[in-house]
């Protein structure tokens, strides 16, 4: 059944590898995206990798859907044997100042989990998280693999304004807001590395398939890093 | 050498064909909501199709020209006037130094476009001058226009002359629309009755309708199981249906990804129908197949080629 081709308008072709949040599935998406970026097929306008599928925007007057779909499937069957398996993952460190006015929901997360605040922070920093995709806003990473102990449902009513750099939890996902936005995630800290849309897009710090590891910093270090960015 | 904003109107932004190429990094495309009116406004004043124009919403603005210049309007009819004299919609006119161009409430349609000979000369940010207000990026400082703004224009690129578009190329905007939709990518997540209902019922545009998307009111569409999916990409015109069953049509400023099942996708050439739809307008969705959708896209391009050829001949 998989991979299967889906239609998203006359200019959208979706290659779907499965129906789950799974590192191996996501890796296939990332590899196909890399393959199509490195060695282009005619008519493709843009590609968007997501958790378990790849969106290909194309011009059907240049490349008919059936032909393009067949070329991509052919690329997949060829690529499977030649790609080096398990290329080492890039890990990007994101420093976070946890709690206080930077993390208004940290107490709630700790209380709900029956853990100390220090333990919540230690768990949040305990492992690298795979970036499954970027979406929602420029540079917003959807990260998987949050320790179950600190998984926390979203706010019942989203905040109208979440400051740039805010690090949050939503269910078993974690991530951070690169630009100020409304949002319903539980905010536990803030990173001084909030780039803003334009800076991020011009020099992305990370891409789908990379990993992010959070490290805990104090307020003085936060201020120092925030200033160093100016 | 500029247009001075006396009053921006309800919501006016700088838009071109959109910022393509950054969706993988989560950057929405933005761009003119009505791509046909955007292209024609440019062609009318001698520009290539893709230059930056002003997109006005529901109520247009008032602008003063600092020098003589050709300018063109297209899209919604906002009762435009030049120094108090009416200007026909879908036309090019010549403003004088000190001229005031005024737009009123939309009488027909929702979004009007003001193009200027040479285009608006703002910085190109990541390949485009389109404003995406939520990212605060592009256009004029990433925001909607305000009173007191001044926007420079660029060098003229082709001959321009005051003229009107042939009526046959100027679409009218009614309040009852038939919008063509290709089913998918997740039509299989809806019960059969929901698909039949979607393609027969009348939906009404709610007040929650902006450049990001249009929420519709009408019969609820039932999912087979959950309404949520593992998030995937959102195409222009994607029709999301959250658990409450009412469709949301995703448009120019849409986020790049989302987690609701999508019953269908509005075909590209019909996106302009949503661009010109406003609250209370009634919509019926008509099912098309891929072959027909591609044929309509071919027709749309051929029509623009023809408009371009005719206008070039005239000037």
């Amino acid at each position: 059944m998989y991979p299967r081709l889906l239609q998203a308008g006359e200019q959208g072709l979706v290659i779907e590898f499965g129906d789950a949040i799974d590192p191996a599935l996501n890796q296939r998406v990332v590899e196909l995206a890399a393959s199509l970026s490195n060695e282009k097929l005619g008519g493709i306008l843009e590609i968007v990798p997501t958790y378990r599928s790849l969106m290909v925007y194309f011009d059907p007057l240049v490349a008919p859907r059936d032909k393009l779909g067949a070329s991509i499937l052919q690329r997949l069957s060829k690529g499977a044997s030649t790609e080096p398996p398990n290329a080492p993952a890039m890990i990007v460190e994101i420093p976070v100042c946890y709690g206080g006015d930077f993390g208004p929901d940290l107490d709630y997360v700790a209380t709900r989990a029956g853990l100390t605040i220090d333990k919540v922070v230690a768990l949040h920093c305990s492992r690298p998280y795979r970036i499954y995709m970027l979406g929602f806003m420029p540079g917003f990473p959807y990260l998987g693999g949050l320790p179950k102990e600190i998984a926390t449902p979203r706010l019942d009513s989203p905040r109208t304004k979440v400051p740039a750099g805010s690090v949050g939890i939503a269910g078993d996902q974690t991530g951070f807001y690169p630009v100020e936005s409304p949002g319903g995630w539980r905010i536990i800290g803030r990173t001084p590395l909030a780039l803003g849309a334009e800076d991020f897009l011009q020099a992305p710090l990370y891409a789908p398939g990379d990993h992010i590891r959070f490290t805990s910093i104090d307020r003085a270090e936060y201020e120092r890093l925030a200033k160093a960015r100016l | 050498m500029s247009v001075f904003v006396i009053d921006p109107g309800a919501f006016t932004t700088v838009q071109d064909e959109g910022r393509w190429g950054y969706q993988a990094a989560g950057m929405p495309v933005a761009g003119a909501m009505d791509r046909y009116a955007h292209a024609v406004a440019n062609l009318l004043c001698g520009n290539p199709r893709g230059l930056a124009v002003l997109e006005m919403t529901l109520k247009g603005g008032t602008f003063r020209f600092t020098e003589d210049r050709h300018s063109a309007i297209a899209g919604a009819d906002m009762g435009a006037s030049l120094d108090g004299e009416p200007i026909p919609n879908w036309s090019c006119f010549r403003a004088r130094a000190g001229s005031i161009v005024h737009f009123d409430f939309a009488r027909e349609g929702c979004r009007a476009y003001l193009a200027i000979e040479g285009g608006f000369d703002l910085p190109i940010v990541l390949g485009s001058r389109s404003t995406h207000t939520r990212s605060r990026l592009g256009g004029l400082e990433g925001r909607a226009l305000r009173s007191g703004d001044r926007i420079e224009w660029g060098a003229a690129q082709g001959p321009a002359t005051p003229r009107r578009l042939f009526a046959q190329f100027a679409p009218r905007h009614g309040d009852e629309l038939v919008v063509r939709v290709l089913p998918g990518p997740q039509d299989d997540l809806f019960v059969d009755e929901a698909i039949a209902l979607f393609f027969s019922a009348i939906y009404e545009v709610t007040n929650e309708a902006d450049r990001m998307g249009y929420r519709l009111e009408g019969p609820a569409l039932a999912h087979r199981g959950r309404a949520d999916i593992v998030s995937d990409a959102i195409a222009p015109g994607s029709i999301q249906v959250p658990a409450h069953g009412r469709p949301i049509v995703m448009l120019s400023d849409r986020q790049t990804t989302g987690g609701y099942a999508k019953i269908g996708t509005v075909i590209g050439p019909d996106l302009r129908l949503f661009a010109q739809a406003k609250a209370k307008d009634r919509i019926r969705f008509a099912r098309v197949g891929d072959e027909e959708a591609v044929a309509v896209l071919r027709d749309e391009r051929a029509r623009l080629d023809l408009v371009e050829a005719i206008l070039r001949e005239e000037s």
Side-chain angles (χ1 to χ4, degrees):
Chain A
M1 177 174 174
Y2 294 111
R4 60 174 185 162
L5 303 180
L6 305 174
Q7 181 151 19
E10 77 282 0
Q11 299 206 66
L13 170 64
V14 181
I15 300 99
E16 196 177 77
F17 290 94
D19 188 25
I21 299 178
D22 173 83
L25 274 182
N26 185 245
Q27 188 59 27
R28 296 190 66 193
V29 176
V30 168
E31 281 170 11
L32 178 59
S35 164
L36 292 176
S37 304
N38 294 338
E39 215 184 309
K40 295 195 165 53
L41 290 171
I44 292 182
L45 305 171
E46 180 165 4
I47 55 175
V48 186
T50 59
Y51 277 105
R52 41 72 187 244
S53 62
L54 184 73
M55 170 70 86
V56 175
Y57 293 114
F58 69 103
D59 185 341
L61 303 185
V62 174
R65 172 178 300 271
D66 293 350
K67 222 177 119 194
L68 183 62
S71 307
I72 290 172
L73 290 178
Q74 198 185 4
R75 175 79 63 94
L76 275 175
S77 57
K78 220 171 42 186
S81 53
T82 58
E83 290 290 330
N86 303 324
M90 184 167 103
I91 298 180
V92 180
E93 289 213 344
I94 301 288
V96 179
C97 179
Y98 287 93
D101 52 339
F102 283 171
D105 300 323
L106 182 58
D107 284 342
Y108 177 86
V109 172
T111 308
R112 191 174 175 281
L115 298 170
T116 64
I117 282 177
D118 285 351
K119 183 66 182 164
V120 171
V121 171
L123 280 168
H124 195 250
C125 295
S126 64
R127 57 176 83 158
Y129 302 109
R130 180 181 181 88
I131 302 174
Y132 281 94
M133 66 177 192
L134 306 184
F136 177 54
M137 67 172 68
F140 187 96
Y142 283 85
L143 304 175
L146 186 72
K148 291 201 170 26
E149 301 94 299
I150 56 173
T152 314
R154 284 164 214 252
L155 294 171
D156 291 335
S157 158
R159 292 185 172 93
T160 51
K161 242 185 204 184
V162 177
S166 293
V167 177
I169 290 176
D172 56 3
Q173 299 184 97
T174 182
F176 63 95
Y177 291 77
V179 293
E180 182 191 288
S181 130
W185 291 36
R186 305 277 177 179
I187 304 305
I188 58 172
R190 196 180 299 175
T191 174
L193 294 190
L195 288 171
E198 193 175 339
D199 285 356
F200 181 86
L201 294 168
Q202 264 160 0
L205 267 181
Y206 45 77
D210 294 340
H211 288 64
I212 280 178
R213 184 198 284 278
F214 295 106
T215 58
S216 178
I217 57 171
D218 61 18
R219 186 71 179 235
E221 180 68 358
Y222 177 95
E223 300 296 349
R224 195 186 67 75
L225 288 171
K227 234 180 246 146
R229 281 193 37 74
L230 294 178
Chain B
M1 294 292 283
S2 61
V3 168
F4 179 79
V5 180
I6 296 171
D7 169 11
F11 182 78
T12 300
T13 55
V14 175
Q15 298 294 341
D16 58 14
E17 290 172 322
R19 186 170 287 101
W20 292 88
Y22 297 91
Q23 292 180 85
M27 182 65 212
V29 177
M33 289 275 278
D34 183 335
R35 67 194 195 190
Y36 179 76
H38 164 248
V40 170
N42 271 318
L43 292 173
L44 274 166
C45 59
N47 293 340
R49 293 174 198 185
L51 295 195
V53 305
L54 300 187
E55 179 183 279
M56 296 172 274
T57 316
L58 285 171
K59 183 182 182 300
T62 305
F63 308 96
R64 189 172 64 232
F65 285 61
T66 64
E67 305 279 339
D68 293 9
R69 199 69 166 181
H70 287 100
S71 185
I73 53 176
D77 180 358
M78 293 188 180
S81 63
L82 171 66
D83 297 322
E85 292 296 317
I87 324 168
N89 197 11
W90 301 94
S91 78
C92 174
F93 58 92
R94 186 159 177 83
R96 301 290 170 190
S99 281
I100 289 178
V101 176
H102 173 75
F103 295 84
D104 215 319
F105 285 96
R107 299 165 174 176
E108 192 187 295
C110 180
R111 290 182 171 81
Y113 294 86
L114 175 71
I116 192 143
E117 190 184 356
F120 289 103
D121 188 22
L122 287 161
I124 296 177
V125 179
L126 302 158
S128 167
R129 294 186 171 95
S130 284
T131 314
H132 188 255
T133 51
R134 282 178 180 80
S135 310
R136 299 182 187 175
L137 190 147
L140 186 67
E141 298 169 1
R143 58 170 173 82
L145 299 191
R146 294 180 195 143
S147 299
D149 283 340
R150 187 184 290 277
I151 319 174
E152 304 284 318
W153 56 62
Q157 309 207 9
T161 182
R163 57 191 165 184
R164 275 182 89 160
L165 190 67
F166 281 124
Q168 76 209 70
F169 297 115
R172 302 294 302 263
H173 307 112
D175 48 17
E176 299 204 358
L177 319 171
V178 178
V179 174
R180 288 166 287 192
V181 167
L182 270 168
Q186 280 104 27
D187 50 322
D188 58 340
L189 298 186
F190 293 84
V191 300
D192 294 344
E193 296 75 37
I195 304 287
L197 190 57
F198 176 72
F199 285 115
S200 58
I202 305 276
Y203 285 90
E204 195 175 282
V205 176
T206 67
N207 286 318
E208 290 176 84
D210 61 14
R211 287 182 43 84
M212 195 166 170
Y214 273 42
R215 284 179 187 268
L216 306 180
E217 191 51 69
L221 304 169
H223 302 80
R224 284 185 199 279
R226 287 161 52 93
D228 296 351
I229 59 166
V230 176
S231 290
D232 67 0
I234 302 181
S238 280
I239 304 166
Q240 294 184 328
V241 184
H244 57 57
R246 269 91 186 177
I248 307 172
V249 182
M250 304 302 289
L251 300 166
S252 295
D253 282 2
R254 71 194 177 280
Q255 62 272 40
T256 54
T257 60
Y260 297 127
K262 295 173 283 292
I263 194 169
T265 313
V266 174
I267 65 170
D270 280 1
L271 291 172
R272 67 177 180 81
L273 299 176
F274 271 101
Q276 299 301 351
K278 41 186 191 267
K280 304 263 185 250
D281 284 357
R282 290 146 58 86
I283 290 163
R284 198 171 62 75
F285 293 106
R287 180 180 197 136
V288 293
D290 189 47
E291 214 168 297
E292 184 178 348
V294 173
V296 177
L297 180 68
R298 187 178 288 115
D299 288 349
E300 182 195 41
R301 292 193 192 163
R303 193 174 317 118
L304 275 173
D305 287 344
L306 189 58
V307 169
E308 182 166 7
I310 291 170
L311 292 177
R312 194 182 298 130
E313 194 107 324
E314 278 179 1
S315 51

